[in-house]
Structure formats: structure tokens, C-alpha cells
Amino acid sequence: MRLLGVGTCAAALLVGLLAAPALADDAGGPGGAADAGARGAGWALKATGKDSRFRGLAAVGRGAAWVAGSGGTVLRTGDGGRTWQDVSSPGAVAEGLELRDIEAFDARRAVALSIGEGAASRILRTEDGGATWTEAFRNPDPRAFYDCLTFLDPRHGLAVSDPVDGKFRILATDDGGRAWRVLPDDGMPAALPGEAGFAASGQCLVGSGPRDVWLATGGGPVARVLHSADRGLTWRAADATLPAGDPARGAFALAFRDRTTGLAVGGDYRAGQASPRAAARTADSGRGWSQALTPPPAYRSGAAWLPYGRATALAVGPTGTDVTTDAGRTWRSLDAGSYDTVDCAPDGGCWAAGERGRVARLEPLRRPGR
């Protein structure tokens, strides 16, 4: 019998706290300390000293995380968020690149994606904790606009662009992000009119295992999820149940617990617009999607499964955080703070990031007087 380590115990505790029935609030407004405390666990803000909007997030562990955002800003912490090191690329800062995704292998190696038309879409790579960065890819095609990045293992990664010549374009690496190539699009279904990806949280392209990857879309007549079982060479599209029919609506983020069980979240990102069907789930690798019986109450841009709890996941957006403890069938509110993205590390360390430099870690919350 393998004994649980400290990180594993902490993760299991959080899963148990989140799975506990919500209690009545005893003080404070929605999303306040009392509201989150009644549920046993919640976001503990970690001051970054920055005002960038962080839509890129990579959780390495409970103690280590990377964030990437506006103005070319990249921060990393190795002490649980008590202090943050600005490891931004000087060139990215000088050009004001919009970094919307970052994938980290550990505390020293990370790959970041900037978005935009043509040469604004770039991939940067560091092997020394951000002390130096190498530009691994600069988009040469003015028609391409890259949205998201994912790695299936430390060698194999993919990035996705909005449709070019009527199909989503896939970029691939097999050397950890040092070199990238455009994959042939013979196996990619035709894009729908107006269809694109959303660069809202770095989670419109996600993988699970060595070969499976999924792509979330919006902006078209229906929201779709595309699945590839061969590292991006061939794809199959399925309609999701999320709001669609408008450039501001669709599936914004995906999270897969394994190669069969996944979640999709999204809605209408415009403030004040209703998103009555903001979450869906699949149990067959994305071939079919079912609407959540009790979805989040508004648009959500990021999602993540908690390790050690096979049915527990988080969804975040500008108006709050929701938790499911039944694999996406029902969701309930956890916090009303604004976050764009969320990520959980294998040791159970869960982080969220968003506007005005906001970064937080999920922690058991202390009751007053304890």
C-alpha cells in the first residue's frame, strides 16, 4: 500500500471539502469569505503586484505556477504565491504581445503563445525559468490567427489557428517546442460560416494521454468540439449544446479527465448577456455531448478537473467560480470573483488567474476564530 504524500493529502482534503453539501451563508455577500467558507474551500488571492490580465496559466504544483498575460507579461512563483518573479521576455514586453496561453513542464521549462494576426502570433520557449526566451515560431501567414496551445507530453505539442482556406490550421512540434510545422489539413473537417476558436483561457485546445486532443469552437451557427485521436492529423466534429449563433457565443474551454470523459464550458462572453446552457459533458471522447442539468449561471471561460476526485471539477469566468462533484451533471456556485482561467497540477494544486493581475490558489478556508 502506497502512503499518501503531503501534496496528495492536501488534494484529497480539497476534493472532500468541495464535495460536501453547501451550507447556508452566515455573513457577507455573494462570493465573500463566508460564502466560500461555508463550502469549506475557496480561492486565496496571491498578490502579484501587476495589473496585467492573465489568461495564460500553468499549474506545476501547489507551490509552483506560471501565468502569462497582456503586455508580454510572464510571472512565476515557487513558494505558493507568496512571491512572484517577473520573467517576461524583454522583446515581448517591448512589443506588447498578448500572451494568452502558457504550458509548463516544470519550474524551469515553459512554452508561451501570443495571439494576433500574422506575425503577432508567436511561440516563445524557456529552459531556464524565464531568464532567457527563444522565439520558436513566428506566424508568416497574415490569414492565420493562433488561439491556443497544448502539450500531450514533454515532446509532443499542438497549437491551433482560426480557419485558413476554410479549415482550422494545426501547428505541431515533436521536440518540446523547439521547432514547429503546419500539419496537412486533409483530415480536418470544413469550418462552419463564422466559426473560430476563442483565445480566452488557453483551453480551447486540450489533450489527454499521448495522442488524443480536442478543439472547442464558437462564432458559428452551432458550437462544436472537434476530436483527434492521432495528434492532430485527422479530426471528427460533434455539435455541443452550448449557446451559439453569434460571434460572441460558443464553447470557450474544454477539460478532459481521461480520453473519454470531458467537460465543455462557454456561453456568451458579453457582459449582461444570458448564457442559460453554459456547460456540457461527454462520456464518449466527445462524439456526443449532453447539457448540464444544472449549469453554471453565466458565461464561463475556463475549466479544470481536480486530481484525486474523479467527479470534481471547477469552472471559472468573469462573474464567478462553480464546482461540480458529479462529473458535470450539476454545478453550484463557489465564489463570485472574476477569473478567466483555471488549472490543476497532479499534486492537487489548483490555481486561477484573470484580470487586474488576479491570481489565486484553491485552499481550505479557515473559519473565524479557528
Side-chain angles (χ1 to χ4, degrees), residues 30-328:
D35 179 65
R39 288 154 176 81
W43 295 119
L45 284 168
K46 309 295 181 180
T48 63
K50 301 290 184 178
D51 60 2
S52 299
R53 187 162 196 168
F54 294 121
R55 295 183 185 267
L57 167 65
V60 176
R62 281 188 53 77
W66 300 67
V67 292
S70 56
T73 305
V74 178
L75 307 181
R76 61 184 289 268
T77 182
D79 58 11
R82 289 190 293 274
T83 61
W84 293 86
Q85 182 181 5
D86 187 334
V87 294
S88 308
S89 162
V93 173
E95 294 191 56
L97 295 183
E98 280 290 326
L99 299 174
R100 294 293 182 91
D101 199 352
I102 188 165
E103 303 291 326
F105 307 118
D106 49 41
R108 296 186 61 78
R109 298 177 298 157
V111 179
L113 171 75
S114 70
I115 67 161
E117 297 177 346
S121 284
R122 304 179 198 177
I123 295 176
L124 308 176
R125 186 176 184 276
T126 183
E127 293 184 335
D128 55 13
T132 59
W133 292 86
T134 301
E135 185 178 292
F137 172 79
R138 182 181 294 212
N139 174 36
D141 191 335
R143 302 170 298 169
F145 186 115
Y146 285 87
D147 299 298
C148 293
L149 172 75
T150 193
F151 273 83
L152 303 176
D153 57 48
R155 290 178 52 207
H156 298 95
L158 300 171
V160 62
S161 163
D162 289 339
V164 177
D165 294 329
K167 293 184 177 181
F168 285 94
R169 175 170 289 181
I170 302 296
L171 199 65
T173 180
D174 58 10
D175 60 6
R178 295 176 180 84
W180 296 81
R181 67 190 185 282
V182 175
L183 295 182
D185 65 2
D186 299 353
M188 176 66 74
L192 302 176
E195 190 175 28
F198 288 110
S201 62
Q203 295 176 322
C204 68
L205 186 72
V206 302
S208 179
R211 305 187 69 83
D212 288 275
V213 63
W214 294 264
L215 165 62
T217 80
V222 297
R224 299 199 297 176
V225 177
L226 283 65
H227 172 226
S228 171
D230 54 13
R231 292 192 190 133
L233 292 176
T234 60
W235 297 79
R236 174 182 293 180
D239 293 354
T241 64
L242 280 72
D246 186 278
R249 299 174 186 162
F252 281 71
L254 301 169
F256 272 77
R257 187 184 69 197
D258 49 44
R259 70 179 310 271
T260 60
T261 308
L263 304 170
V265 299
D268 190 321
Y269 71 76
R270 294 170 295 190
Q273 294 296 310
S275 294
R277 295 174 290 117
R281 58 189 177 88
T282 182
D284 58 7
S285 300
R287 289 190 293 273
W289 291 85
S290 301
Q291 182 180 342
L293 300 177
T294 306
Y299 156 71
R300 295 294 180 252
S301 55
W305 291 92
L306 272 73
Y308 311 112
R310 292 184 58 80
T312 305
L314 299 166
V316 301
T319 61
T321 299
D322 303 284
V323 60
T324 178
T325 56
D326 55 13

